[in-house]
Amino acid sequence: MRNEYVQAVLAVVRLVPAGAAVSYGDVAELLGSGGPRQVGSVMSHYGGDVPWWRVLKASGHAPPGHEAEALLLYLEEGTPLVGDYGSYIRTGDGRWRVDLAAARWAPTDEDFESIDTVAEELERRLHSLSVPDDGMIV
DNA sequence: ATTCTGACTTGCT
DNA sequence: AAGCAAGCCAGAA
């Protein structure tokens, strides 16, 4: 993954406030570049320094492999949850997920500006350093 | 160029 | 709720 892209993704994730959440696909859309898998890849490799638990699957399920820690964080910041997380805490096998319909981040105008800036910068950098290698001359 | 592999998503059982 | 097939985008071999 290009470093420019990594930085852009992390910048967007840092904007998501406590108690809110977005899906991997949401981030890709806001950025207008890459897809859900790319965002997931970035988070798995470089998400350690940002609120990674606020980025999850479209189903509302926490990042694979980090459910337990994420749940504690959701409870701390009051993120809307659905399902039986009580038993998950006790036995580890309860079924729950983030109520994305209620928790999905609604960017403010200011956030959108910030995102646009990041997205434009990303585009600029991606185009300045490379030239299409399969461009057909007509 | 081809194939495989992912913190993905959607639709269908 | 859980599993699966496709579709998806990129990087690695």
Side-chain angles (χ1 to χ4, degrees):
Chain A
M1 200 60 67
R2 301 274 312 256
N3 187 58
E4 292 88 343
Y5 188 71
V6 173
Q7 296 312 315
V9 168
L10 297 183
V12 170
V13 174
R14 274 190 285 260
L15 294 175
V16 183
V22 291
S23 71
Y24 296 98
D26 290 340
V27 175
E29 259 188 45
L30 288 170
L31 225 37
S33 180
R37 311 196 74 136
Q38 282 55 243
V39 174
S41 180
V42 168
M43 291 310 286
S44 73
H45 298 294
Y46 314 96
D49 295 320
V50 297
W52 53 265
W53 60 93
R54 296 176 194 153
V55 184
L56 30 93
K57 296 190 185 187
S59 60
H61 287 103
H66 300 271
E67 292 82 359
E69 191 184 353
L71 177 54
L72 259 26
L73 291 162
Y74 297 144
L75 293 175
E76 278 180 26
E77 27 184 85
T79 306
L81 302 174
V82 294
D84 185 10
Y85 55 86
S87 70
Y88 184 87
I89 295 176
R90 292 192 300 279
T91 69
D93 63 355
R95 296 163 188 198
W96 60 275
R97 59 201 161 103
V98 168
D99 182 356
L100 213 37
R104 175 144 13 224
W105 178 40
T108 63
D109 290 346
E110 196 175 328
D111 291 326
F112 277 123
E113 278 184 42
S114 181
I115 293 170
D116 285 345
T117 301
V118 170
E120 285 172 25
E121 181 73 353
L122 174 61
E123 282 303 300
R124 193 175 68 65
R125 295 197 176 189
L126 291 183
H127 288 307
S128 67
L129 290 176
S130 66
V131 171
D133 50 51
D134 62 342
M136 287 242 277
I137 310 281
V138 188

